[in-house]
Structures are given as C-alpha cells and as structure tokens.
C-alpha cells in the first residue's frame, strides 16, 4: 500500500456526534496548527438538529495558504459509529483512519488500502477518570493529544492553548493538560509518529486572525455604532446577534452605572424585528437585524417602507440553502435577487458582499454609514460558509479619527436659521434629501412619515408629477450609491486574455486557488470580485473588455448574472454561468474544471467567431 | 364631531396652557375622514388631553398602522413627528422608536383591523414587552378604509350594512391587554369626551404599556341597526366603572373631593389619578378582579368602560433592558466606538 505523505498539505476530517463537546476540541486542534505557523481552513458540516446527529469538522491544512474547501479526506477521525461506513469510504486511498478501538470491530468494517490507527479512548478514559462528565470531555482532549503526536504538532502548543482557554481555572487547565498528555504519550508509544502526513513549523500565517464571519459582523456592528438590534433566531444568523450581545457587554457597558449603551430585543418574528429596526432608525439611532432567507421573505413589506420612506436600516443576511426551509444548515448565495429587489413596486437596494470575516467586520461597520448617508436599507450578504466557520483573515483595523457619517441630518440650528426643509427635496442634486429626527426643534422640521406617495415637502400627494419627481430622485440616489459601496477588486491574469471571471463573497478563497490551478495549465483568466451593489462602472467595463466572462456563484439560477445583465445592459451571451449549489462550499477544483471545460468547448465551436467580433 | 380648521382670528382669544400653547397648537392637518366618523372625536380628545397636560408637541412621537384610524395622526399634533407605517405593524415600529429615545412620549393609534386582525401578534407582544407608550385602538368593528368588511372585534351575531351576520367570535382587546401584561388598561367611547380625555391623559403619563380601546363608530359602514358598534348601541350598553381625573403632581387639588367616593392612584411620574367610583365597588388595581368583572358584564351584554386596570409600580422595556438614562440616539461616537486599541487587543486574542 502506498501511504500518503504530505507535509503541511492535507485534509483531516473529524466525524463526531452533535452535542458531544467535540466542537471546541476540534477548534483547538485547528488553532494548534495555526500556532505552528501553518494556514488551516476548517468547515463545520452539521445537520439541523441539536443532539445525537452526526456532525463533521473538515480541516484543510495548506502551506500554500488555500482557504477554500479541497474535498477528500487524508485522515479521518471517525468517532461516530452511525456514520462509520461512509466516513471510512471517504478516505483517500493510502490515507489514514483514526478511531476509538475500545470496542472491537470486524475486519469487514475496514479497508486494506488505508492505514488504521486504533486508540482505546473510552477505555483509557474509564481507567483515568471517575466522573462520567469528565470522561466524556477529556476524551475529546485526549484525541487531540494523540493526533498532535501523530501529525507532529508540539505538545507544548496544545498545552499553551489549554492554559489560555481556561485562564484562571487552574484545576481545569491541569485536568485537560493531563488528558492531552495521556493521548500524546499513548500515540507515541504505540505508533510510528509522525504519520506520512505531518505538520512542520512554518511561517505561513503572519499576523492573521482566526474568527468566524458572524462574530466579525457582530463586532462590526459595535464598531459601526449600532445601538439597537432586533432579531428572531434562525440558523445560520443567530450567532451574529450573540456576538453583538457579548461584545456590547464587554465594550458598551457604562463604566459608572453598569447600564447598557445598547438595546437588544428578541422579537416575536422577523416582521417585528425589521419594524423595530425601522422605528429605531427613524428615531435617529443605528439599528440592525440579522436573519437568513426565510426571515428576509417575511420582511419584504417593511423593506419597501424603509426604501420608500427613506429610513436607514441594516440587515445582515447570512444566506443558507433555499427555497423555503431548504437546506437550513448548508451554504448558498441564493438570496441575491431577493434582496436586491426586495418588496413590491419599483425597489432596489444596496448590497455589500464580504468575502471573509475581515470584510464582515469592515462592511458591517460601513453599512451603518451607508444606510444613514443614503437613508435606505443596506444588506450585508454573507453566507453560512463565511458566517459559521472560522477563517484566517487580515486583522481588524479601526481608524480612531474616523467619525460616523450620520448623513444629511438637519439640525435644530439650521432649522432655526430658516434653512428650507423639504423632507423629500433633492436639495443637493445627489438624490439624497435631508431628514430630521423626532424632537429636533419645537416648531420646525416635524413631518409625517408614510409609505404613501407625497410631495417633496412630505405632504400626501397622488399627483403624477410628485410621484415621478420622487422616483427619479430615488434613481439618482441609487446612482450616488454606486460611488459609495465598496469597489470591485480586479486580479489580472499573468498574460493578456479574452476571458474574464466575476464572482463574489465566499467563492473568494476557492477562486484564488482556481486561478492558480488554471494558470499552471496555461489557462489565463482575468478576475473581478464584486463587493457591492449597485455595481460600480468598473464592472461594466470589465465585461466589455472581455469576450467571455464566467460568472461563478453558488445558486442554481445564476442570480449574479441576472443582476449584471439587468443593471448593466450587458449581453447575456457573453456571460457564462458557472454554478455550484449542492449546499457544500464551492471548490477550486470545481471552478477550474468548469471554466477549463467551457473554454475547451468554445475553442471548437463557432461561437468563437461571434466572440471575436 | 368632524374637526374643521378654525379661522385664525379666533386663535388669539383661545385659552392658553402652562406652556403658553393654545389648543390649536396641538391640532394637525384637516381631517379627510367622513363627517361624523368616531375617529375625529378621538383625535379631538387627544388634542384636548395633550393641551391639558401641557405637553410640548415636539416631544411626542405619534405612530400608526394603516386604516382610517391610522390616518388620524396627521390630524392632530402637527408639530410632532408622525409615522404612518404598515398595516398592523405600528407596535414594532413604536417599540424601535421608544428604544432609540426613552425621553419622548409615544402615542400609537391603530384600528381594530390593524390591531386585532392583521396585527394582533404585534399588539400582543408590545403589551407583554412593556413598551412605554399610549396605545389607542379606534374600534369600529369594521375595516373602514377597505369599505366595511367585518374586523376581528365584530361581535358574533352583529349584522353588516349589507345584511351579513358575523359568525366568528370577537376578540376583546381589553381582555387581551389585561392578560398580556399591559399596566394601564381602559375602554371608552369616542362619543364621551368627558370620559375619554382624562383616560388619554392618564395613559400619556403612564410609564409602561397603556392601552385604551375606544369604541369609535364608523358612520359609513357600521352605524346601522343590528351593529353592536353603532353610536346608539354603544350609548345604550355603556357601563362605566369609574370616572377619572388626572392631576399633575405640581397642582394637586385633592381636597375638593368628597372622601369615600374617590380612589387615588399615584403613577410613577408623580401624576395622580383620581377615580370616582360609579355605583359598584370596583378596584382598578386588582388585575384578576378586572378580568372577572369584564367577563361577567360582557356575558350580560354590557360594554364596560372606564379605567379598568392600573399598576402603580409599572416597569417598562428600558428598565428590563437596563439601558442608560441618556437616550441611545444621543450617545456620541466616543461612547459607542471602543476604538483601535481594544480592537488590537482583541486581534491578539484571535491568533
Ligand atoms: C398588507 C396589507 N393588507 C391589506 C391592506 C388593506 N387595508 C388597508 S386598511 C385595512 C383595514 C383597516 O381596518 P381598521 O384597522 O379597523 O381601520 P379603520 O379603517 O376601520 O379605522 C385594510 C385591510 C393593507 N393596507 N396592507
Ligand atoms: S369609512 Fe368609517 S371609519 Fe372610515 S372615515 Fe368613514 S366613517 Fe370613519
Ligand atoms: Mg376598524
């Protein structure tokens, strides 16, 4: 048998039972590799269930720094009897199987083309620890210790992490360290360590941080000055609010009174969540909600109100698989159109498209400036892959000289001085009117907010001219938005090419790798990552500059492509769909394969002539 | 009782309140409702209540849903910010507004369709959540704006203008508010200004969720024989449990009342509710008793009005959330943004 040998470049997958406490052990293992200076990228694969169901934690170790999903497992840590057969089947030939050998299994349960490492975890725990709860938890740390020995992670790295995690609780530190050491020693004593796959100290991580996108978005809301959050629990967005709550407790508690400089309300549903956000935004605070597809569906009417009455609101949409309840614990980018045109009538909305936790932080903070500057709903379009998985990313930064852009808020002084206040008047020609918040001035600046049509001075009106004035102003405002949303980022190919690719969000790490894979094969493609909607003019130019542009996205109906065609008047023929939508994160292999195949096909097809026009 | 703009000339001779405002300063745009619509009388009562309470108009935020009733905030308190939101969702918008600035007075106006049909969920949750607001439902048993369909408060057996009998059981918002934790619950009649104005005053001064169900007949679609929400029917079946008078802490004049017939309730803000008992011995601080009384009288076909329940030690959402005294919308950048040093420390913990 040929055993896989690889240093700092392999995939290890943990098959666990949900609720067994394995999540934090797995995360610690990932962090240990990062501390060894080697980039990793983990992905949680979990069902919509709390206990007793299978979960997987797939960890890609990549010296080259590829953070997308690779696929295949070189080492399977099979700790769930329920999924044993499929887990064992998934191991790459020559790979490794790690399992709890307390209970003997018949040879038919194994494969001859893999290496088997059995450690009697349960038996060792039963011998070493009396308390059943300890037995369960220490078993997790014990396999981390054993794996450390097997793949050559320094035990001291694990010990440091444990000390950090349980700081101040010496007994826990000692207990956990002991468990890790038992596992480590057992592996060293019984197996040839390290295995063919191993970790070697490197310098590939730099100053990057390791955090999930939802936590980053929650933190971004704190830094962005949000004080009101209203929400209704839904996977995969719940942890955005959980993070916001804990960061608020930490950073927004009044030091003198202990009172909260924030208000978080768990609403009765998503209608109420967005209603509260709009009421709060109307009254002059920065407010947001976090939800996923089904919640966005419920919010439609209110989103139209926020758009038409021009009230700032921020909506974090952590996308999951749709339609309907769809695949609630799987990832997709399938709410793009839903959000871009949310609500009845002629509406269009600002979308921000972060690629990783760093951008989740930055864009969430920016979303509040944009919502107030543009007086409109702003959607942060993240997804389960970014939101619920920890990802190595650039550290967060904040410029202390930055002030929140509260937009065009007319002050009591300006009103007093007699400045003309037309709530829906385009005073500056950028489509953005001035607003006042309740209580601004004793007898000037009050107006009646409504979702019905009105004139520039907020008086009810059904006159066609008033309606058109308003709609044209909103159109101008949307043009202004193009210049304010994050600009697209281009990655030119090494050689001039007629081919381009457009993508966004969580496709990013897989795309970076795919471009390298293709370039190695002589396939050169210019890439453009869109980061905001409405699209900046560079996007149109990019399409015009190429004969064929692949649009890579994670949904079935090519929503980004539709949006590009619709908003940019671009030729549909030029835009080729590359779609991945089975609920797993897109991979570099998939992208490179699809694009290379399409380019090959095109070379022999007459379409070439039209492309050369 | 349709309000028509009074000629400017008269304004000067109108009486002024402690702030120097006349009643006119509390009025709004000219009503576009049907002449005789109960809702206009309620608007007039709101104007009167705010005038008498010496409220600064710009310190009030008025919010509503959609319906004839929900249009009315345009017709009172023209110097206040108003928000005509979406159908049945005023409570969430008001909740968000109240979170943003705890120092304003929040007045929500809704209809029976708006609050008992499409919006019953939001109504219920605003009550149980303890939003500090006065919540008035102008209850006419029908959808006025969409031309007379039954609403969820229409009584079983009542007849529509087209002659259709309502077979569904009615929702009593007062009973619901009591059950859900509203801390000031009243019912009144748009045709009884003497009863309604003080009830609104008490609600505006209440610190917590204050709910008033105002029977407010729709002259166009629900004022015929066979309706249980017509002017005649409500007048005939009205059973007031008490009459209240709201006295501000600064000008207590309790001495002029005969002892025994009065019940004195002090609210959080120091305002005093003087309750004159009518006939029976009714205790408005007894929630269970209030619920029982309501159901008993309801079974007899009576419409119980007056201040049905008040909790003197009411708490509101801000108290539950322990928010700072400074309104959230007045916190500055430095109070909101933790700054780069803390962010770098956080980065360090994420490596
Ligand atoms: C989502 C939605 N559905 C339906 C309507 C139509 N609609 C407008 S007002 C109304 C009923 C209002 O009834 P009520 O709240 O009792 O107010 P009233 O007119 O009787 O004062 C309806 C159904 C709407 N505006 N929005
Ligand atoms: S239809 Fe009825 S509720 Fe509407 S304004 Fe006319 S009388 Fe009032
Ligand atoms: Mg009605």
């Amino acid at each position: 048998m040929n055993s896989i040998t690889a240093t700092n470049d392999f995939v290890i997958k943990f098959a666990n039972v949900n609720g067994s406490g394995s999540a934090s052990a797995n995360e610690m293992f990932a962090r240990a590799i990062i501390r060894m200076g080697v980039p990793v990228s983990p992905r949680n694969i979990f069902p919509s269930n709390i206990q007793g169901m299978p979960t997987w934690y797939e960890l890609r170790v990549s010296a080259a720094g590829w953070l997308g999903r690779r696929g295949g497992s070189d080492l399977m840590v099979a700790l769930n009897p329920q999924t044993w057969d499929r887990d064992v089947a998934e191991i790459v030939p020559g790979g490794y199987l790690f399992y709890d050998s307390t209970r003997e299994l018949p040879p038919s349960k194994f494969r001859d083309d893999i290496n088997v490492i059995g450690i009697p975890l349960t038996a060792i725990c039963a011998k070493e620890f009396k308390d059943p709860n300890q037995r369960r938890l220490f078993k997790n740390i014990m396999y981390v210790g054993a794996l450390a020995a097997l793949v050559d992670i320094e035990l001291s790295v694990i010990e440091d992490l444990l000390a950090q995690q349980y700081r101040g609780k010496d007994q826990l530190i000692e207990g956990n360290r002991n468990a890790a050491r038992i596992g480590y020693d057992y592996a060293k004593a019984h197996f040839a360590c390290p295995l063919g796959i191993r970790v070697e100290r490197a310098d590939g991580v730099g100053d990057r941080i390791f955090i999930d996108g939802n936590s980053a978005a929650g933190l971004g809301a704190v830094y962005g000055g949000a004080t009101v959050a209203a929400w209704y629990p839904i996977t995969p967005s719940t942890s955005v609010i959980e993070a916001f709550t804990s960061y608020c407790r930490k950073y927004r508690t009044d030091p003198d009174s202990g009172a909260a400089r924030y208000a978080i309300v768990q609403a009765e549903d998503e209608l109420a969540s967005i209603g509260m956000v709009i009421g709060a935004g109307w009254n002059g605070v920065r407010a947001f909600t976090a939800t996923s597809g089904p919640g966005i569906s419920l919010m439609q009417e209110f989103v139209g109100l926020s758009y038409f009455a021009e009230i700032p609101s921020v909506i974090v949409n952590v996308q999951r698989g749709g339609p309907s309840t769809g695949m609630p614990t799987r990832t997709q980018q399938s709410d793009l159109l839903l959000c871009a045109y949310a609500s009845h009538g002629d509406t269009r909305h600002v979308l921000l498209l972060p690629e990783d936790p760093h951008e989740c932080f930055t864009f969430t903070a920016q979303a509040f400036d944009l919502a107030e500057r543009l007086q409109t709903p702003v959607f942060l379009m993240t997804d389960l892959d970014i939101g619920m998985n920890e990802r190595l990313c650039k550290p967060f930064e904040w410029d202390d000289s930055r002030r929140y852009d509260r937009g065009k808020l007319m002050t009591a002084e300006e009103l007093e001085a007699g400045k003309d206040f037309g709530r829906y008047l385009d005073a500056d020609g950028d489509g953005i009117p001035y607003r006042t918040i309740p209580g601004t001035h004793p007898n000037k600046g009050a107006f009646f907010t409504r979702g019905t049509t009105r004139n520039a001075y907020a008086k009810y009106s059904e006159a066609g001219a008033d309606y058109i004035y308003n709609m044209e102003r909103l159109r101008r405002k949307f043009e202004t938005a193009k210049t304010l949303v994050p600009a697209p980022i281009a990655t030119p190919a090494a050689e001039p090419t007629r081919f381009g690719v457009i993508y966004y969000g969580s496709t990013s790490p897989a795309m970076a790798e795919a471009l390298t894979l293709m370039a190695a094969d002589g396939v050169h493609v210019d890439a453009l990552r869109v980061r905001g909607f409405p699209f900046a003019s560079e996007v149109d130019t990019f399409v015009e500059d190429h004969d064929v542009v692949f649009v890579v996205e994670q949904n079935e109906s090519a929503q980004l492509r539709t949006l590009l065609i619709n908003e940019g008047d671009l030729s549909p023929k030029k835009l080729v769909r590359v779609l991945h939508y089975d609920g797993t994160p897109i991979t570099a292999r998939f992208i490179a394969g699809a694009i290379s195949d399409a380019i090959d096909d095109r070379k022999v097809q007459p379409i070439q002539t039209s492309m050369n026009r | 009782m349709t309000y028509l703009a009074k000629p400017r000339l008269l304004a000067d001779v109108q009486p002024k309140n402690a702030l120097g405002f006349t009643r006119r300063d509390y009025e709004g745009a000219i009503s576009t409702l049907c002449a005789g619509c109960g809702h206009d009388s309620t608007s007039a009562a709101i104007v009167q209540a705010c005038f008498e309470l010496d409220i600064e108009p710009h310190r009030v935020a008025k919010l509503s849903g959609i319906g004839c009733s929900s249009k009315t905030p345009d017709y009172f308190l023209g110097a206040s910010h108003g928000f005509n939101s979406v159908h049945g969702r005023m409570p969430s918008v008001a909740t968000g507004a109240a979170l943003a600035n705890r120092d304003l007075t929040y007045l929500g106006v809704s209809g029976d369709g708006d609050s008992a049909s499409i919006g019953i969920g939001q109504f219920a949750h605003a009550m149980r959540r303890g939003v500090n607001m006065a919540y008035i439902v102008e209850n006419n048993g029908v959808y006025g704006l969409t031309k007379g369909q039954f609403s969820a408060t229409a009584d079983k057996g009542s007849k529509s203008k087209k002659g259709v009998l309502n077979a569904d059981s009615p929702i009593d918002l007062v009973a619901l508010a009591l059950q859900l934790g509203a801390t000031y619950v009243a019912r009144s009649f748009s045709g009884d200004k003497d009863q309604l104005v003080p009830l609104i005053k008490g609600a505006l001064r209440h610190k917590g969720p204050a709910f008033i169900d105002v029977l407010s007949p729709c002259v166009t679609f629900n004022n015929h024989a066979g309706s249980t929400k017509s002017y005649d029917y409500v007048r005939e079946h009205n059973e007031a449990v008490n009459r209240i008078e709201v006295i501000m802490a600064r000008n207590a004049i309790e001495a002029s009342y005969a002892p025994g017939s009065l019940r004195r309730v002090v609210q959080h803000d120091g305002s005093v509710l003087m309750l004159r008992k009518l006939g029976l011995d009714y205790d408005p601080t007894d929630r269970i008793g209030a619920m029982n009384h309501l159901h008993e009288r309801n079974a007899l076909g009576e419409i119980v009005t007056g201040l049905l329940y008040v909790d003197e030690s009411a708490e509101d959402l801000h108290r539950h959330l322990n928010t700072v005294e400074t309104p959230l919308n007045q916190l500055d950048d430095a109070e909101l943004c933790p700054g780069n040093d803390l962010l770098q420390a956080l980065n360090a913990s994420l490596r």
Side-chain angles (χ1 to χ4, degrees), chain A residues 66-90:
Chain A
W66 301 128
L67 302 180
R69 187 168 176 250
R70 190 199 76 180
S73 307
D74 302 313
L75 166 58
M76 175 68 70
V77 181
L79 297 172
N80 185 357
Q82 252 183 298
T83 58
W84 176 271
D85 291 341
R86 61 196 264 205
D87 293 336
V88 170
E90 203 184 295

Side-chain angles (χ1 to χ4, degrees), chain B residues 31-40 67-69 71 140 142-148 216-222:
Chain B
S31 171
T32 58
L33 302 185
C34 308
C37 175
H39 301 349
D40 279 332
C68 296
S69 36
K71 284 182 174 189
N140 54 16
V142 288
Y143 295 172
L145 195 60
T146 52
K147 301 196 187 318
S216 179
C218 169
V219 288
T220 306
F221 297 112
N222 206 13

